[in-house]
Amino acid sequence: MTNNVRVRFAPSPTGHLHIGGARTALFNYLFARHHRGTFILRIEDTDQERSTKEFLESILKGMEWLGMEWDEGPFHQFERLAVYREHVEKLLKAGKAYRCYCTPEELEVKRKALLAAGGKPKYDGKCRTGDRGLRTTERKPSCIRFKTPQEGLVEFNDICRGRIVTDRKELDDMIILRTDGTPTYNLTVVVDDVTMKITHVIRGDDHLNNTPRQIQLYEALGFAVPQFAHLPMIHGSDKKKLSKRHGAVSVVEYQEQGFLPEAMLNYLARLGWSSGDQEIFTKKELIEKFDLNAVGKSPSIFDIGKCTWVNSQHLAKLSERELVEKTKPYLKGLGLKVEDAEYAAKALHSERERGKTLKELAEISAFYFRDEVVWDEKAKAKWLDEKGKKHLKPLLEKFQALSRWNEEEIKQSFAAAQQELGIQKMLDLAQPLRTALTGTTVSPGIFEVLVILGKERVLKRLGKALV
RNA sequence: GCUCCCUUCGUCUAGUGGCCUAGGACAUCGCCCUCUCACGGCGAAGACACGGAUUCGACUUCCGUAGGGAGCACCA
């Protein structure tokens, strides 16, 4: 199973690339790379009503951001209509498909009746018999149905689920070509997977029930059946299907929130899959260790909290240079510009373990880059009161007098001021200073901040705080 | 309604008949570190859905029940 592995991710452009889709894409991607196979991107856009260019672009953008490069495609089903018709024709000639003249209204009535009677709303096969099968000259509108074999069982061995058995009687004659001449999903997916020589169909388990139908199509068309792997779904925090509120948003939104693509990949991979006790994986490790057999069966819930933690772990591995480059856009979003890369590196480094996302990091580091301190009113009221200002004044004078601006000198000045002022706890001098310099009560170590900001900024900010 | 699938701490998971007094991670709580907040360290709490059967022995096998999910479209 090396080298000739061919898998595909086949989204339909009727929505964004969301967490669930991205995870499916990822497992296909990892499987392909692990086996040095081929990863194909196919766009399932036969439903022209609901497919849009915007969604297509969104999907492509998401794939790109996550770094799941594909080897072939994107292929568009809409451009392959002739291929599907050819196969439908083949089935028709072989007597394995037939024209159906039932109207949607008629079918709807029957479906409701069956459902009301407590049964399964299967097609009753009204047009199945008779000699009208090949009479294409018939003027009445018609679609094409697959003549589903009704005897025996369909079985297959799912890589994730094991043996799945279905009674053929449960399956009805599905429509494979619509009245308007466009093919439906179950037909296109089979024809495409065959013509694209897909060896492993890895998809969400919402397709588990479709698989027996598709297998019958493979059989009727005389094609070899690929291997299947049905992945458990990802649910929202209410254990229900993913919806807009919890995770069905575009993955690109996570980029905006300051998540690293490699962290996203890492977290997504751990949803339904694991490798011992390991939590943090590089992309390379993911490719090395990924194994479809280790994929679980039960659905999982997307937990933004853990995803954020994984992100913080990857953030910690970034070099200072990468950190600056990756945080820049978020600083820009705050209207801040990085002018001095070295200064930015020190500034961001000092805050890096406090920010779990790039966006957060930019926000808490913003004070380094602003010309004017933005005050947190509560902090100002508490620490920059008359007492605070009184304490800060001698400190400012000591700082002014320093000829060398390094941690050692600064500490000495600070300690001297503290002693002269008779302040017992360092806190009582550190917090007013911190507030004066950063505008808040939370920041990296005060001496670190002092050194990074530099004498000029410190004196300026202290001066303003004392007004 | 019918058919199929799923079920270990709140969440992600380890566990493939004795290694389980059920392990790890996130989150939570406590303590330590400490100039704030984090990081880090230590610790606590917290789960095998339920009922039968098989077995010397079941988280692990089988059968039911309950709960959840999916499919039953001229959607994919």
Side-chain angles (χ1 to χ4, degrees), chain A residues 213-258:
Chain A
R213 307 171 167 284
Q214 290 164 16
I215 288 175
Q216 288 190 316
L217 233 27
Y218 278 99
E219 290 169 345
L221 253 9
F223 295 132
V225 179
Q227 298 247 44
F228 292 99
H230 287 93
L231 312 171
M233 306 296 281
I234 296 175
H235 289 167
S237 45
D238 57 357
K239 300 198 181 199
K240 293 272 169 59
K241 210 173 146 184
L242 233 37
S243 77
K244 266 272 191 279
R245 286 276 64 79
H246 40 236
V249 293
S250 167
V251 292
V252 175
E253 213 155 291
Y254 291 92
Q255 175 182 27
E256 285 159 18
Q257 289 305 309

